Structures are given as C-alpha cells and as structure tokens.
Amino acid sequence: MEKKNRLLSGIKFFALSIFLVLYIFPFFIVLINSFKERKEILENPLKLPSVLNLSNYIDAFTKMNYLHAFLNSLIITAFSVFLITLLSSMTAYIFVRKKWKFNQFMFFFMVASMIIPFQGIMIPLVKIYGSIGMMNSKWALIYMYVGFGASLAVFMYHGFIKSIPLELEEAATIDGCSQLQIFFKIVFPLLKPVTTTIAILDILWIWNDFLLPYLVLMAPEQRTLPLSVFYFYGTYTIEYGPAMAALMLATIPVIIAYLLMQKQIIEGVLKGSIK
C-alpha cells in the first residue's frame, strides 16, 4: 500500500511539473527575448541571449511613458475594484435581506446579464457614450468597469450573505445600530473571504484588459499599460525587442503584488470556496 501511494505521489508530482513548465514557458520566452536584438530574436527565439542587453527596457520605458501609463492603470484598477466590491456587496445585502419581488427580479436580471458577451454590445456602447461626450476619460472607463463587473460580484456576495446568521443583525439592532452600521460593522467584515476573491478576479481582469480601454481611451496621455505595449506593434513592422521588454514591464507589477499578498490571496480563495 505504501509503495502504491509513493508511485501515485510520483506520478502526480511529474504531471504537476509538466503543467508548471507549460504554464511558465510563454513567460520564459518573453523574458529571454526581451534582452535580445531584433536580428537575434528572428534567428532563434528559443535561444538564450548571448548578452544581457538592457537597451530594450530603456527604450520601452521611455517610449511607452511607463510611469504615466502605470499611474493610469493603477487609478483605473483601484477605483474600479473599490466601487465594484463596495456597491455590489451593498446591493447583494439588500437583495438577500429585503424579500421584495422587485429585488428578486433585479437579481435574476443581473445574473442573466452575465451571459451577454461584451463583443455583442461594444459598438452600441461606444456609439451611445461617444454621443454624450463620455469617451476618452478614465472616469468613464471606471464607470463601465463597475457596470460590467457588478453582476458577477453581486452573484458571489448573494450566496455568501445568505450563510450569515440573521441573529447577529438582530442583536445589533437591539443594541441600537442603524442599517448602515450593521452592514459596515458586522456584515461587511464577515465578507472578507469573498471580497478577497472578487478583488483578485477583478484586478487581473481590469489591469490586463485591452479591448475596453482601446475603445474608450483615445488620447496618448490616457493610455493604460496594455495600450502602451501596443505602441510597439505597427501596421507593417513590430519592434520585437522593445515589445517584449514592454510586456515584462507591464507584468512585473502584478507579479510583485502577488508575491506580497500571496498569503491573503490563498486564504481568501480557500475560505471563499469553503463557504
């Protein structure tokens, strides 16, 4: 029996190792090519660089106006995630605690809206908001992200809030707490696991999103990091070296954030799955 368990463990370890290699291989290719000249990349993209050339990173950092693009991405992501988690949790709380028919209709309406692909509404979206002067603005983009991200967040919060005992809120009411105090002092702290999960999903989605910012943000000073990376892809040619370096520069903040918050991320996902 012990020999069989060892064999199974060895097979699992081997399979996981293969998946790990397949998962990090694209990242490895981008990393090694970010230090190469164009000629060296075209000759053999799988070969390790002969010299660690940092000129691609300097070129990419300058041309993509990295610090400004980073700040734009940070503002858009931070405000969008904050508003999605705050407004969605409050909406889900009302849907769960208030047994109104209107709430039931709105909840199912929001859940049903998740099946509509963004590509099916992006042209009317741009046309309508463009006609009322809401394009080319970070705040208009944040508004759209809140709209697109609220349905999934409300759905996840809804199931989690149903598991919170109503007796806790009744006791707080007896102690003189208002509805807002009950939510922010009792309910919302208990939502930390699902809030962490939603925040992770939305940060990855918004930070890496290209299509919606591409449609909304037109001025160069409004560009996010994914849009700035696109600067190196021309109609007839591609600056491969700087483009690879730009991809690395856009990826590094997410990696650093994950390394700093991996404990909270794993705890949030595990607790959310248990609930």
Side-chain angles (χ1 to χ4, degrees):
M1 188 68 180
E2 184 178 351
K3 186 177 180 180
K4 183 179 179 181
N5 290 335
R6 287 182 179 178
L7 179 62
L8 289 174
S9 298
I11 294 173
K12 289 179 181 178
F13 178 78
F14 179 75
L16 290 174
S17 300
I18 295 296
F19 281 119
L20 176 63
V21 171
L22 292 175
Y23 185 79
I24 66 174
F25 184 71
F27 178 81
F28 174 74
I29 294 299
V30 173
L31 177 63
I32 62 174
N33 285 298
S34 66
F35 295 102
K36 297 180 184 178
E37 297 291 338
R38 178 184 175 87
K39 181 181 178 182
E40 193 177 359
I41 295 173
L42 294 176
E43 285 177 351
N44 189 353
L46 299 179
K47 182 182 177 182
L48 292 174
S50 55
V51 179
L52 292 179
N53 186 3
L54 296 177
S55 61
N56 288 333
Y57 283 90
I58 297 172
D59 192 23
F61 190 90
T62 304
K63 287 184 177 179
M64 68 191 296
N65 197 359
Y66 181 81
L67 292 178
H68 192 75
F70 174 83
L71 184 60
N72 286 338
S73 290
L74 184 63
I75 291 172
I76 291 168
T77 304
F79 276 93
S80 298
V81 173
F82 172 75
L83 290 174
I84 288 172
T85 53
L86 177 64
L87 299 179
S88 298
S89 59
M90 296 176 74
T91 302
Y93 177 72
I94 294 296
F95 284 171
V96 172
R97 295 300 186 230
K98 305 296 182 182
K99 305 299 182 180
W100 303 332
K101 289 186 178 180
F102 177 77
N103 283 352
Q104 296 177 4
F105 169 77
M106 286 302 300
F107 175 69
F108 286 113
F109 180 78
M110 294 186 74
V111 172
S113 69
M114 289 193 292
I115 68 174
I116 302 174
F118 171 72
Q119 291 78 4
I121 61 173
M122 64 181 183
I123 300 301
L125 181 77
V126 172
K127 187 174 181 180
I128 292 171
Y129 284 100
S131 64
I132 58 177
M134 287 188 64
M135 305 299 288
N136 202 29
S137 169
K138 290 191 289 288
W139 308 110
L141 184 60
I142 291 170
Y143 172 76
M144 293 180 188
Y145 276 133
V146 172
F148 286 117
S151 296
L152 177 61
V154 168
F155 176 74
M156 295 178 69
Y157 275 124
H158 189 275
F160 203 94
I161 291 173
K162 287 168 67 176
S163 66
I164 298 176
L166 188 59
E167 289 78 8
L168 292 175
E169 299 175 39
E170 292 174 346
T173 303
I174 294 172
D175 290 337
C177 290
S178 65
Q179 199 74 46
L180 280 176
Q181 289 175 325
I182 291 173
F183 177 78
F184 285 109
K185 292 184 177 181
I186 297 175
V187 177
F188 194 71
L190 295 174
L191 299 178
K192 182 181 177 180
V194 70
T195 299
T196 305
T197 304
I198 292 170
I200 295 165
L201 294 174
D202 288 340
I203 288 171
L204 293 175
W205 160 48
I206 296 170
W207 185 272
N208 295 314
D209 189 31
F210 174 82
L211 184 55
L212 189 54
Y214 181 73
L215 294 172
V216 176
L217 304 177
M218 302 169 188
E221 63 271 12
Q222 299 284 359
R223 287 176 180 162
T224 59
L225 280 178
L227 291 182
S228 298
V229 172
F230 190 64
Y231 173 87
F232 300 100
Y233 294 83
T235 305
Y236 302 105
T237 184
I238 300 175
E239 299 180 57
Y240 288 105
M244 298 295 177
L247 286 170
M248 288 302 303
L249 289 173
T251 307
I252 286 172
V254 179
I255 296 175
I256 293 174
Y258 178 78
L259 292 175
L260 293 175
M261 299 179 61
Q262 57 181 321
K263 182 179 178 180
Q264 291 84 355
I265 291 171
I266 294 171
E267 285 181 356
V269 172
L270 289 176
K271 290 180 181 178
S273 63
I274 293 172
K275 283 286 186 179

